[in-house]
Amino acid sequence: MEPLAAVSFATTGSSRAPGWQAQVRIDYVINKVAQTHRGQSEDQVLQAIHDQLRAVGVVPNGRKMAEYATAISALPQIPPNNR
């Protein structure tokens, strides 16, 4: 029987910056809202972003969310798929 390899939980040498999980959640929510709310009013988009970020445990930055809402509301709506 061979010996088990040593396990180390040292935090040195980490390749990820602090807060990377929050950024992944923000990216996910913004992409989701961009698909479902594009072309709608900025207020509707902003509310959707705010609600969904809170649902995944992220406290939204108001100024940054307003920028996202402006960009998403300027996108054309996706035509319905009538297949």
Side-chain angles (χ1 to χ4, degrees):
M1 197 162 156
E2 296 190 23
L4 295 175
V7 177
S8 173
F9 294 106
T11 59
T12 59
S14 176
S15 63
R16 294 195 172 146
W20 68 272
Q21 289 179 338
Q23 188 59 51
V24 168
R25 292 174 186 178
I26 291 169
D27 293 344
Y28 172 77
V29 166
I30 296 302
N31 286 327
K32 186 174 172 185
V33 170
Q35 292 175 8
T36 59
H37 289 76
R38 57 192 299 160
Q40 296 182 12
S41 72
E42 285 185 40
D43 292 335
Q44 290 174 321
V45 175
L46 187 59
Q47 188 62 46
I49 292 171
H50 184 270
D51 293 345
Q52 291 186 29
L53 281 176
R54 288 294 203 166
V56 295
V58 176
V59 178
N61 175 328
R63 184 176 59 207
K64 194 66 176 169
M65 296 307 112
E67 291 176 19
Y68 287 132
T70 301
I72 292 170
S73 67
L75 295 171
Q77 287 187 337
I78 298 175
N81 188 0
N82 295 328
R83 289 187 180 189

